[in-house]
Amino acid sequence: MAVQGLYALQNGFIGFERNGLFFGERSGDRVQIPVACYLVKTGDATILFDTGFAPRAVPGLLRDDSLARFSDEDLLVHRLDSIGLEPHSVDVVVLSHLHFDHAGGTSLFPKSELIVQQDEYSYAHHPASCFASFYYRKNFDLPGYHWRLIEGDVELVPGVTVLRTEGHTPGHQSLLVELPESGPIILAGDCAYWQEHIDHERVPGVVWNPTQALHSVKRLKTIARLTGGKIFPSHDPLFWATVTQAPDAYR
Ligand SMILES: [Zn+2]
């Protein structure tokens, strides 16, 4: 059964330093970046890509970060509700990686299969001290949840394929979604923060292995070229303003 739709779900905005966005950048100027999740409906399964912030983290973000913006509609449960879904309607959650702005809402999904690369799951439990602040154990230390730890690329259902894109983190993954009308869309996750990372093959400033991160950007570009697909970066405010957002969908 084919893919039926792809919904972009806004999960608010935070401030981030330019030297965190771009490897080698010196400027500590802060910019406002979007945080997003995506919902893929297929004939076989309802699949969520990333879970955004933990709702419990929002008050602190709003208090400590002058560029943070978060409305009631930005809550993941409200975005899902806007397209007629509840957390228990989600069959599969694909986590690009386990940083706090991508895996924060995972505890909402005790019935879903949670898919993450084995290397990411292991690293998140024992990160190097310089990356520890990105991994909140409460987000993924979820006993009794249905974790499926994978290695490398996996076709989940026809038209939805996990692509391993490590570098930003040890087990980062992206998602290729083949839509009947819009064509292939690659949800890059943090393999590409901004369009500039794709166009000029730049690496995130927050990066576990810059060389692998660069190879992963190139890999997504090759797949996009060969399939005629488009790459969606994760945190680009200008790109985000052009995205069709839920309840509308890419078909
Ligand atoms: Zn990240």
Side-chain angles (χ1 to χ4, degrees):
M1 295 276 277
V3 178
Q4 295 162 349
L6 171 68
Y7 300 81
L9 313 176
Q10 180 174 293
N11 190 231
F13 294 81
I14 54 171
F16 205 59
E17 293 77 20
R18 283 194 62 88
N19 55 18
L21 287 169
F22 294 101
F23 187 73
E25 170 77 52
R26 301 253 171 200
S27 167
D29 289 352
R30 286 166 61 79
V31 289
Q32 189 180 56
I33 60 170
V35 171
C37 311
Y38 290 88
L39 193 286
V40 186
K41 269 192 190 167
T42 82
D44 302 285
T46 298
I47 301 168
L48 181 67
F49 182 69
D50 282 344
T51 62
F53 295 119
R56 68 175 177 278
V58 171
L61 288 171
L62 291 173
R63 188 178 60 240
D64 299 336
D65 177 355
S66 62
L67 293 176
R69 209 185 87 210
F70 201 93
S71 70
D72 201 41
E73 298 85 65
D74 286 334
L75 272 177
L76 179 55
V77 283
H78 293 166
R79 292 287 176 210
L80 290 173
D81 182 60
S82 78
I83 53 174
L85 296 175
E86 296 179 37
H88 67 71
S89 338
V90 173
D91 301 304
V92 177
V93 177
V94 177
L95 295 160
S96 62
H97 61 308
L98 295 176
H99 282 174
F100 67 90
D101 55 331
H102 293 261
T106 305
S107 68
L108 291 165
F109 303 94
K111 301 219 181 318
S112 314
E113 183 175 58
L114 309 175
I115 298 184
V116 66
Q117 294 282 322
Q118 166 82 62
D119 290 337
E120 183 69 16
Y121 189 79
S122 301
Y123 190 79
H125 286 82
H126 303 284
S129 58
C130 52
F131 293 117
S133 65
F134 292 93
Y135 291 108
Y136 293 173
R137 190 172 277 257
K138 273 187 186 172
N139 291 337
F140 48 82
D141 191 6
L142 300 168
Y145 282 56
H146 309 293
W147 291 94
R148 176 180 168 195
L149 305 181
I150 62 174
E151 293 183 66
D153 300 348
V154 175
E155 184 184 43
L156 299 179
V157 297
V160 183
T161 305
V162 170
L163 301 172
R164 185 174 168 113
T165 47
E166 79 268 28
H168 173 62
T169 64
H172 191 279
Q173 56 190 6
S174 304
L175 196 69
L176 168 63
V177 182
E178 296 170 79
L179 289 150
E181 294 168 24
S182 305
I185 289 178
I186 298 170
L187 305 174
D190 283 355
C191 181
Y193 278 162
W194 284 16
Q195 186 66 41
E196 188 173 340
H197 293 79
I198 302 162
D199 294 342
H200 301 291
E201 299 183 353
R202 297 195 68 178
V203 165
V206 176
V207 65
W208 169 74
N209 183 319
T211 304
Q212 287 191 355
L214 181 60
H215 292 170
S216 291
V217 172
K218 289 170 183 268
R219 177 166 190 250
L220 288 191
K221 288 180 71 171
T222 300
I223 292 167
R225 180 169 52 79
L226 294 176
T227 62
K230 293 186 283 286
I231 302 173
F232 279 26
S234 58
H235 293 300
D236 186 333
L238 296 179
F239 173 80
W240 186 245
T242 71
V243 169
T244 300
Q245 299 200 21
D248 294 327
Y250 293 90
R251 302 286 179 186

